[in-house]
Amino acid sequence: MSAHLWYELEAAVSAGDSELLDRLCRIHGDQLRADFPARFTVPAELRHDPAAVQRYGRASFAVAERLGVPLPGVAVSETLNRTLAQCEELSRQGGHEQALALLTGLLSSGQVLSRPPEVGQATCYEWMGGLARRLSRHQQAWQYTSTAQELCHRMQDAEGCLRHLATMHGIAEETGAHPDALAVAGMAVHHVQEHGPVTLLPPWLATYAEALRRAEGPGQVGEFAKAAERYAREILGSDPAALSRTLNQLAVTLHRAGHDAAARALLEEAVELRRRGA
C-alpha cells in the first residue's frame, strides 16, 4: 500500500469523514485486505510518538471494521476513537483544557472503551498526562502517567510501561524532583533487565547515574558510572552510534561530578566513535 493512501485513510478517520473512508475502502479494498493482519502492528518508526501511534491505531481498526477483517484480541471502541480525534483537534487549537475535560468525562462515564478495558483506560490516562503537562500541571501529569504505567504493567505491556516511565522521569526532571527521577530511573533499569530490550540498559544506567548525582551528590557517581560504562561496551559494542551516545551521556555526568579526566577520556572516545560511524 502506498504511503499516500494510508495518509488519506488516517486523515479521513481523524476527521470523522465516514463517507470518504467508505469510498477509499471500497476502491482499494483488495489492496488494503492484503495488508492485514500485519497492519495491526504499529511501525517501529512511529512508536516514539504517542499521537502518531494513536492515529495509526484508530485508522487500522476503522479500516479493518469496514473491510470485515477479523480484529485482534485487543480492540478499541468507536467512542474512544472519536473522542481521541476530538481531543487531537482541540489540542492542535490550544484547547488542552477542553480536551482534558472530554477525556475525564469519558472515563467517568463507565463506558467500555476497549477490549480488554485496560487498553482504553491506559490510552486515556496517557493522553490526560500529556495534556496536563502542556498545562504545566506537573503533579496531575505525574498521577495520570503513573496510572497509565500501572495499567500497562497489569496488561504485561512492557513497551508501554517503559514509555510511561520515560515520561515520568521527564516530569520529575522538569520539576526538580530529583529523588523521584532517581526512583523512576531505577524502576526503568529493573524493567529492562526483566523484559528487555537489553540495548536500552546502558542508556538507562547512564540516566540513573545522573539522577544519582543530583539526588545524592557527586560522591555516589564514580563507581556506578564505571559499571554503566562496562555494560555499555558489552551490550553496544557492535553499534558505534549507540555506544557513542551512552558514553557521551556518562561523560557529562562524570564532568558534573568532578571526575574531569575520566569524563574527557569518555568524551574523546564518544567523538571518535561518532566520526567512525558517520
Side-chain angles (χ1 to χ4, degrees):
M1 180 197 309
S2 71
H4 179 71
L5 173 56
W6 187 254
Y7 175 81
E8 284 189 292
L9 290 163
E10 279 195 345
V13 172
S14 294
D17 191 338
S18 297
E19 185 177 337
L20 174 58
L21 182 60
D22 288 339
R23 185 165 69 252
L24 290 171
C25 288
R26 186 171 59 252
I27 294 171
H28 303 283
D30 291 341
Q31 183 183 355
L32 292 170
R33 285 188 186 89
D35 270 13
F36 286 94
R39 182 57 68 176
F40 289 122
T41 302
V42 178
E45 63 268 20
L46 300 182
R47 293 174 191 168
H48 70 285
D49 183 346
V53 171
Q54 295 298 337
R55 286 195 300 274
Y56 184 92
R58 292 200 302 272
S60 295
F61 282 103
V63 170
E65 286 179 341
R66 277 160 177 77
L67 296 176
V69 173
L71 296 176
V74 173
V76 178
S77 73
E78 281 298 320
T79 298
L80 179 56
N81 281 333
R82 286 194 301 270
T83 302
L84 292 176
Q86 288 177 269
C87 288
E88 190 172 353
E89 181 60 29
L90 284 168
S91 186
R92 190 161 44 237
Q93 297 172 2
H96 309 313
E97 188 78 65
Q98 297 95 315
L100 185 57
L102 202 61
L103 287 169
T104 303
L106 182 63
L107 274 175
S108 63
S109 71
Q111 295 187 63
V112 177
L113 304 178
S114 65
R115 185 180 67 247
E118 289 87 355
V119 171
Q121 293 165 3
T123 299
C124 286
Y125 280 113
E126 180 175 7
W127 270 73
M128 290 162 68
L131 291 164
R133 195 175 180 183
R134 292 187 194 103
L135 290 165
S136 298
R137 298 177 187 170
H138 294 99
Q139 184 176 356
Q140 198 177 48
W142 174 280
Q143 290 171 344
Y144 288 145
T145 308
S146 176
T147 301
Q149 193 272 333
E150 290 169 4
L151 287 163
C152 286
H153 179 72
R154 192 185 305 169
M155 292 185 289
Q156 299 183 333
D157 177 2
E159 187 175 311
C161 282
L162 207 56
R163 184 174 70 250
H164 300 317
L165 287 171
T167 299
M168 291 166 68
H169 182 268
I171 293 170
E173 283 202 320
E174 285 173 18
T175 56
H178 303 316
D180 288 342
L182 180 61
V184 170
M187 290 171 63
V189 167
H190 180 68
H191 180 87
V192 172
Q193 287 173 326
E194 283 199 338
H195 305 287
V198 70
T199 52
L200 292 180
L201 182 57
W204 269 114
L205 287 172
T207 298
Y208 186 90
E210 174 62 12
L212 186 66
R213 183 193 69 82
R214 292 183 177 184
E216 299 187 10
Q220 306 298 317
V221 170
E223 290 304 314
F224 188 86
K226 287 181 184 177
E229 178 191 345
R230 185 173 65 253
Y231 276 111
R233 296 186 190 284
E234 290 176 1
I235 295 170
L236 302 175
S238 61
D239 188 343
L243 180 58
S244 173
R245 287 192 295 270
T246 300
L247 294 182
N248 185 79
Q249 194 177 352
L250 286 169
V252 170
T253 293
L254 286 168
H255 170 69
R256 290 170 176 168
H259 300 280
D260 291 335
R264 190 179 303 111
L266 287 186
L267 186 58
E268 289 173 356
E269 183 177 355
V271 171
E272 180 58 31
L273 284 166
R274 191 160 56 247
R275 286 175 180 163
R276 200 184 306 163

